[in-house]
Amino acid sequence: QKEVEQNSGPLSVPEGAIASLNCTYSDRVSQSFFWYRQYSGKSPELIMSIYSNGDKEDGRFTAQLNKASQYVSLLIRDSQPSDSATYLCAVKRGSARQLTFGSGTQLTVLP
Amino acid sequence: DAGITQSPRHKVTETGTPVTLRCHQTENHRYMYWYRQDPGHGLRLIHYSYGVKDTDKGEVSDGYSVSRSKTEDFLLTLESATSSQTSVYFCAISEEDFTDTQYFGPGTRLTVL
């Protein structure tokens, strides 16, 4: 079992719809969770971080964390074609400084 | 890119040659990281540094060495490049705070023929 798993996609949604991206992790001591967006040929860009159970909203983005079920999700409301990218989930375990990344979900928003 | 530069941005080299990639930051962050990104594998940590002359291995450190003689510079060296080291290499930095947020440089595309 991979430490951090994401559906590779591709995930396609129409413009204006809600895109839902999911990530599960295996280590229960994980404490910090991150979503990065990566456009083709570019570097990862931080979108959201979440540290406690529940929802965290930032504009059109909502991160949801459920530590009991060991999953974290990212919702993108009113999806735009400019949201088309690969979304990477990253998890920090305990006191370690390192992040473990999932392999990413490719999202396409269709005009 | 949060005050991070990487050089070179592109490099083509031959098997068996040494290669050094440079990461330079202007943020004065304590922690620096080297990742490689390959299709289907996401980002994998090669080495990281928690201060000048303080480094540690990551998940895929075999065949790589690092050095950090100044806070702002973190070097990744492939002593004898192999075709399996063809990849995109990203440097990242983070502060010493509770957020653990890492910010990435623009990347170096390395091709080993």
Side-chain angles (χ1 to χ4, degrees):
Chain A
Q1 181 188 9
K2 289 184 178 179
E3 291 187 44
V4 180
E5 294 206 53
Q6 298 180 250
N7 290 330
S8 61
L11 172 66
S12 294
V13 300
E15 184 175 354
I18 296 176
S20 177
L21 306 165
N22 299 312
C23 172
T24 59
Y25 59 94
S26 61
D27 194 336
R28 286 191 172 274
V29 302
S30 298
Q31 293 185 337
S32 306
F33 307 86
F34 305 86
W35 283 100
Y36 286 84
R37 176 176 63 198
Q38 186 174 25
Y39 292 113
S40 179
K42 301 295 186 182
S43 59
E45 169 192 13
L46 180 71
I47 298 176
M48 296 279 290
S49 57
I50 187 166
Y51 307 97
S52 51
N53 281 327
D55 295 358
K56 179 181 178 183
E57 188 174 317
D58 183 1
R60 296 186 296 111
F61 299 97
T62 299
Q64 300 175 316
L65 175 60
N66 184 322
K67 289 187 177 181
S69 299
Q70 295 177 239
Y71 82 79
V72 56
S73 62
L74 179 70
L75 300 179
I76 306 174
R77 291 182 300 280
D78 188 24
S79 296
Q80 301 297 310
S82 59
D83 295 325
S84 298
T86 296
Y87 289 80
L88 303 171
C89 172
V91 174
K92 175 182 171 292
R93 297 171 54 216
S95 60
R97 297 299 305 186
Q98 303 96 307
L99 297 181
T100 300
F101 285 81
S103 55
T105 297
Q106 184 180 345
L107 172 67
T108 300
V109 180
L110 303 171
Chain B
D1 291 320
I4 311 169
T5 57
Q6 292 185 231
S7 58
R9 294 293 314 278
H10 301 272
K11 186 170 182 66
V12 179
T13 191
E14 293 188 350
T15 299
T17 59
V19 176
T20 295
L21 308 182
R22 179 181 184 237
C23 177
H24 178 78
Q25 60 147 330
T26 58
E27 305 295 325
N28 200 36
H29 285 0
R30 177 181 176 184
Y31 297 92
M32 299 185 75
Y33 311 81
W34 276 107
Y35 291 89
R36 61 178 290 174
Q37 187 173 38
D38 306 288
H41 286 96
L43 285 155
R44 292 181 292 174
L45 182 66
I46 305 171
H47 282 278
Y48 68 100
S49 170
Y50 45 97
V52 173
K53 297 192 187 328
D54 292 322
T55 65
D56 207 347
K57 296 179 179 180
E59 176 188 357
V60 290
S61 59
D62 287 349
Y64 301 94
S65 62
V66 290
S67 65
R68 191 171 179 196
S69 59
K70 298 185 291 185
T71 299
E72 58 266 35
D73 289 326
F74 192 31
L75 303 181
L76 176 71
T77 298
L78 292 65
E79 300 291 347
S80 178
T82 67
S83 58
S84 64
Q85 294 175 313
T86 292
S87 187
V88 179
Y89 292 86
F90 288 102
C91 173
I93 63 173
S94 67
E95 289 188 272
E96 186 173 12
D97 63 15
F98 74 96
T99 68
D100 301 310
T101 302
Q102 293 186 17
Y103 300 95
F104 285 82
T108 294
R109 182 173 295 276
L110 176 68
T111 302
V112 183
L113 301 176

